[in-house]
Amino acid sequence: DRAVTDAMRHYGIVGCGICVVRRESIVYAKSFGCAELPTTPFLVTIATRCGSLAKPVTALAALILADQGKLDLDAEVLPILKELGVTPRPVDGSRMDERISRIKIRHLMDHTSGLPNATTYTAWRPGLNVAARQNLEHVATGADVVADALGNARLDSDPGAKYQYANANFVILARVIEARSNMPFNKFLTEVAMPRFGLAPDEVYVSQNQLAPDCPQRGKNEAAYYQTSKDRFVSFVPAEQAQGKIYGEAYRGYTTEASDGGGGIACTASALGKIVANLH
């Protein structure tokens, strides 16, 4: 308890959940601080975006489909995405890197697709505003992001040749899950995959894009987000590009639904603990 509270003071953390697992048992689960200032407590039932811990959760969802015989891990990605209506969308005279057609599901899951880490869209990264590049009239969806990435990315290495961490791999994998489950990724996650680990829908889910802490898109048990770093990221709302830096990353800056399988999942700390314990 003392180590956590000391760290919170040092780094300016408003609230957090902690879970410790020893093999098949959760041996410690506790929450600290506020879910929303000034007085809403951070309970063990509070969910927050878990960043790249979304990736192993997405991988488990894919493996469940494999167990069901609905997904071959050695299948090529592009034909599966085509089932979903997601095809490469080159822009400005670009042509798809032909090696992309050789990317397989397994390459996504072990980060050997060859895709660069900056392939997929998060609005605050300069030059990666997919909505603008693809002339969209809406905030880019996961399908938009994948279509743009596959049409315009240049691989850094041949598929299967080299390990290279890339968020794009798991954003694409979420679309593969949608194609083979015939469900939106969040629906498969909350109604099929996570119940296998004893989890309720409010313990693991895709965090929706939010404009402010009081936004109705905020999950009922989702914490408010406070940015303590010096950086301020650009708004994904086109009319606010000029003033976007006044907003923190969590609101108007980071389109979690467009990066769902790679980093847009919200969960409780205990939920991740339950998954680990169940795997053991």
Side-chain angles (χ1 to χ4, degrees):
D1 291 5
R2 187 178 303 113
V4 174
T5 52
D6 287 349
M8 290 175 70
R9 290 191 186 100
H10 180 76
Y11 292 106
I13 297 168
V14 174
C16 67
I18 303 291
C19 185
V20 179
V21 178
R22 183 178 294 124
R23 294 200 61 78
E24 72 280 0
S25 300
I26 292 175
V27 296
Y28 178 94
K30 193 169 180 179
S31 294
F32 300 82
C34 290
E36 186 167 10
L37 295 172
T39 58
T40 305
F42 198 114
L43 306 175
V44 292
T45 52
I46 292 292
T48 63
R49 296 172 186 171
C50 65
S52 286
L53 291 176
K55 292 179 176 68
V57 174
T58 303
L60 283 173
L63 290 173
I64 287 171
L65 285 172
D67 283 348
Q68 294 174 342
K70 296 179 180 179
L71 182 63
D72 178 359
L73 300 186
D74 292 306
E76 292 177 344
V77 170
L78 287 187
I80 296 175
L81 295 177
K82 190 174 181 179
E83 298 170 13
L84 194 66
V86 176
T87 56
R89 273 189 236 155
V91 296
D92 299 330
S94 178
R95 296 182 63 183
M96 186 189 83
D97 185 332
E98 62 86 22
R99 294 174 295 172
I100 285 176
S101 64
R102 305 204 302 268
I103 296 175
K104 298 179 179 180
I105 305 301
R106 195 180 299 276
H107 297 147
L108 301 177
M109 295 180 72
D110 62 14
H111 289 293
T112 59
S113 68
L115 288 165
N117 188 37
T119 298
T120 48
Y121 166 84
T122 44
W124 44 267
R125 285 187 175 153
L128 283 181
N129 190 330
V130 170
R133 187 158 65 187
Q134 293 286 344
N135 293 315
L136 304 177
E137 295 182 355
H138 56 266
V139 175
T141 65
D144 292 325
V145 164
V146 168
D148 178 80
L150 296 175
N152 298 286
R154 291 292 174 267
L155 300 189
D156 286 341
S157 57
D158 290 343
K162 179 183 176 183
Y163 172 87
Q164 179 169 274
Y165 187 92
N167 287 322
N169 292 318
F170 283 81
V171 179
I172 295 169
L173 186 62
R175 309 287 75 77
V176 168
I177 290 168
E178 289 180 326
R180 284 303 162 90
S181 68
N182 292 313
M183 292 182 183
F185 177 62
N186 187 55
K187 185 178 178 67
F188 184 77
L189 194 67
T190 58
E191 297 184 12
V192 179
M194 293 299 101
R196 295 274 294 265
F197 297 92
L199 299 179
D202 64 351
E203 292 186 90
V204 179
Y205 54 88
V206 173
S207 177
Q208 297 185 66
N209 298 332
Q210 299 168 34
L211 300 183
D214 59 353
C215 187
Q217 277 69 42
R218 179 175 157 192
K220 291 182 179 179
N221 67 329
E222 190 172 3
Y225 296 101
Y226 300 92
Q227 186 156 317
T228 57
S229 70
K230 294 179 181 178
D231 295 324
R232 288 294 181 269
F233 301 118
V234 178
S235 171
F236 61 74
V237 179
E240 296 174 352
Q241 290 294 317
Q243 62 173 344
K245 292 188 179 182
I246 67 172
Y247 298 106
E249 178 183 10
Y251 305 112
R252 303 177 183 262
Y254 190 61
T255 55
T256 51
E257 289 167 284
S259 59
D260 49 11
I265 290 174
C267 64
T268 67
S270 294
L272 293 178
K274 289 177 186 177
I275 291 172
V276 173
N278 270 280
L279 290 173
H280 279 297

